[in-house]
Amino acid sequence: MRSRTLTLTAAAGAALLATAALPANASGPSSGSASDTANPTSAQEGSVSAADLLAKVTSCSQISNSKYKTDDGTSASIPVCGKNGAVFWKADMDIDCDGQRTSKCNEDTDPWYQDDTAFHQSDGKPLRADSLPYVVVPSSSRIWNYSSAGIKGGGVVAVIYNNRVQYAVVGDTGPTQIIGEASYATGKALSINPDPENGGTDSGVTYILFKNSKVSPIESHRAAVTLGEELAKEFIQNN
């Protein structure tokens, strides 16, 4: 993830849930086949509704030491909040195109492009932003340490926008003071403009990250959806 300027249009400037309550892992096909990692066909994944999830995150018990900015130059107004079995925040969505170089994600399409991600596929390669729904978490800092909160690479995230639910994995880390970013594939599945230079949305996105969860292999979106739906149901039951 790169540090963006005040808005995406300024492109030139570029608590605890018992262990038994949440399944820790989900496994999917290890081959990383095209059908397994391809862009999701539906932004409403699984049977858990956006309304039911959002009803559980109407108030915030802040667990971050202070708040995050959504972009460079904005005020710090976004806290990380704690719930049983999860953490969440409500922010914007910048588009991350980092990882494997493709026709949609490269130096020409993205002024902030980097050819690596913090977490890698089972074959050791960086993640592929244009086909794998993933979320970017802020790098650990005095504001908040994601790993201390039970969040890890490959962890499952329910991303909610316009009453739609999209499951993703924790796939990359970003600046220590900025929050609110997800991969090209995540934005596209939620009907958010996935252009990494001037796409995204300024607000209205809720990110629910399920603690101590992990999809294996990380590139299996199918496994993320299966585990995500199970965790979402337990999250609603336990909050």
Side-chain angles (χ1 to χ4, degrees):
M1 174 181 172
R2 81 294 292 156
S3 179
R4 295 178 183 268
T5 50
L6 178 59
T7 64
L8 288 172
T9 56
L16 294 177
L17 188 65
T19 303
L22 288 180
N25 298 278
S27 296
S30 59
S31 62
S33 64
S35 62
D36 187 48
T37 59
N39 283 325
T41 57
S42 171
Q44 177 58 55
E45 295 186 317
S47 61
V48 180
S49 73
D52 285 345
L53 286 169
L54 291 175
K56 301 298 182 178
V57 294
T58 56
S59 62
C60 174
S61 176
Q62 183 172 326
I63 62 170
S64 54
N65 294 321
S66 53
K67 297 179 180 180
Y68 288 96
K69 303 176 182 179
T70 55
D71 295 287
D72 283 338
T74 62
S75 61
S77 61
I78 309 298
V80 176
C81 310
K83 299 290 283 189
N84 285 333
V87 304
F88 74 92
W89 56 81
K90 299 179 181 182
D92 64 342
M93 182 186 288
D94 294 335
I95 301 299
D96 188 0
C97 236
D98 293 344
Q100 293 186 42
R101 187 177 285 102
T102 68
S103 61
K104 296 182 178 68
C105 292
N106 56 64
E107 297 87 345
D108 294 328
T109 62
D110 182 358
W112 305 276
Y113 175 75
Q114 299 176 31
D115 62 358
D116 201 5
T117 49
F119 308 107
H120 290 172
Q121 294 182 166
S122 55
D123 61 4
K125 294 180 180 180
L127 302 182
R128 180 169 170 167
D130 67 356
S131 62
L132 180 69
Y134 71 72
V135 166
V136 179
V137 298
S139 296
S140 296
S141 71
R142 61 173 182 80
I143 299 178
W144 182 57
N145 184 327
Y146 68 88
S147 59
S148 295
I151 305 305
K152 62 185 75 176
V156 184
V157 187
V159 187
I160 305 166
Y161 179 73
N162 271 358
N163 294 316
R164 296 177 176 178
V165 179
Q166 171 69 30
Y167 292 107
V169 293
V170 175
D172 203 0
T173 58
T176 57
Q177 296 183 336
I178 295 176
I179 205 166
E181 185 170 12
S183 67
Y184 182 107
T186 311
K188 183 177 180 180
L190 288 167
S191 297
I192 294 171
N193 181 357
D195 188 297
E197 184 171 1
N198 52 34
T201 185
D202 290 336
S203 63
V205 185
T206 299
Y207 304 82
I208 302 175
L209 292 75
F210 299 109
K211 295 179 182 179
N212 302 313
S213 62
K214 188 174 178 65
V215 172
S216 180
I218 190 174
E219 66 269 21
S220 174
H221 181 63
R222 186 184 309 162
V225 174
T226 299
L227 180 57
E229 182 171 22
E230 185 176 354
L231 293 173
K233 290 176 180 177
E234 293 185 359
F235 176 73
I236 291 171
Q237 180 179 352
N238 290 294
N239 287 279

